[in-house]
């Protein structure tokens, strides 16, 4: 179960270091780091890493609504319907957020609004289910290269 953090304490126009954000939220700094791993965007990758208060609020609020009803494979969360949905036409687009994570976007079959899911590129094969996922050009090439490489590694081990 995801712990609830009082993200309303964060000032929207203020940037926090990991330690500061952890202190304001009463979270462990490892927890804040794990959010960055999950795809929380940071202001600057150089040290000290800064997180915008507004971005962190949005991230935690989206995370909380996701934890209420978790999406199964091939499902994205519709904020309007407040439930996981399988996108119309079984189609979704991947938009990178960081090198390792991105946003899957599709259309809600019931309300025609955009539905989203933040996914890690490493887990996308598990998350996509039956969906046809469109990748930006270039990224698809990188992904294919990576999967070919891991395939070769597997072969070597066998
Ligand atoms: Zn909907």
């Amino acid at each position: 179960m995801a712990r609830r953090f009082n993200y309303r304490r964060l000032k929207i126009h203020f940037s926090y270091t990991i330690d500061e954000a952890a202190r304001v939220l009463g979270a462990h700094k490892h927890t804040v780091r794990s959010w960055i791993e999950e795809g929380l965007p940071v202001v600057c990758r150089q040290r000290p890493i800064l997180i915008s208060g507004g971005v962190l609020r949005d991230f935690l609020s989206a995370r909380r609504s996701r934890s209420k009803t978790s999406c199964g494979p091939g499902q994205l969360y519709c904020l309007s319907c407040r439930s996981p949905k399988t996108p119309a036409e079984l189609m979704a687009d991947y938009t990178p957020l960081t090198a390792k994570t991105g946003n899957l976007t599709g259309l809600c079959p019931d309300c025609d609004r955009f539905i989203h899911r933040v996914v890690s590129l490493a887990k996308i094969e598990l998350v996509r289910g039956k969906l046809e996922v469109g990748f930006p050009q270039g990224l698809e090439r990188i992904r294919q290269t990576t999967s070919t490489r891991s395939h070769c590694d597997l072969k070597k081990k066998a």
Side-chain angles (χ1 to χ4, degrees):
M1 252 324 193
R3 218 185 115 187
R4 288 183 164 210
F5 295 105
N6 192 356
Y7 50 82
R8 283 182 186 85
R9 283 191 205 150
L10 294 161
K11 295 189 180 94
I12 290 175
H13 299 292
F14 195 83
S15 289
Y16 297 85
T17 63
I18 288 174
D19 283 3
E20 286 165 350
R23 212 175 307 138
V24 171
L25 293 167
H28 198 279
K29 57 185 176 183
H30 289 324
T31 310
V32 179
R33 275 182 211 282
S34 73
W35 294 336
I36 295 171
E37 300 284 301
E38 272 178 44
L40 167 69
V42 294
V43 177
C44 178
R45 275 271 167 199
Q46 270 154 12
R47 280 170 197 281
I49 290 171
L50 290 179
I51 305 157
S52 142
V55 168
L56 184 51
R57 272 173 85 141
D58 289 350
F59 179 83
L60 290 178
S61 121
R63 205 169 177 275
R64 178 181 290 185
S65 49
R66 268 206 316 277
S67 68
K68 274 183 203 152
T69 338
S70 55
C71 295
Q75 290 186 317
L76 312 184
Y77 193 81
C78 179
L79 287 171
S80 306
C81 302
R82 294 177 175 273
S83 60
K85 298 281 175 186
T86 302
E89 317 280 337
L90 293 175
M91 283 189 350
D93 280 319
Y94 181 86
T95 315
L97 296 170
T98 68
K100 288 181 188 166
T101 59
N103 210 348
L104 276 183
T105 311
L107 275 182
C108 177
D110 298 327
C111 68
D112 274 346
R113 289 194 171 89
F114 282 114
I115 50 179
H116 303 279
R117 180 166 181 181
V118 175
V119 294
S120 101
L121 207 48
K123 287 186 188 149
I124 198 154
E125 294 305 325
L126 301 172
V127 168
R128 73 195 294 176
K130 288 177 184 159
L131 300 185
E132 186 77 43
V133 178
F135 290 90
Q137 257 188 346
L139 192 70
E140 179 68 14
R141 262 201 306 277
I142 296 165
R143 214 174 62 87
Q144 276 170 358
T145 324
T146 342
S147 61
T148 314
R149 200 182 298 138
S150 58
H151 186 61
C152 290
D153 287 346
L154 281 178
K155 262 193 194 163
K156 246 183 269 165
K157 271 181 211 153

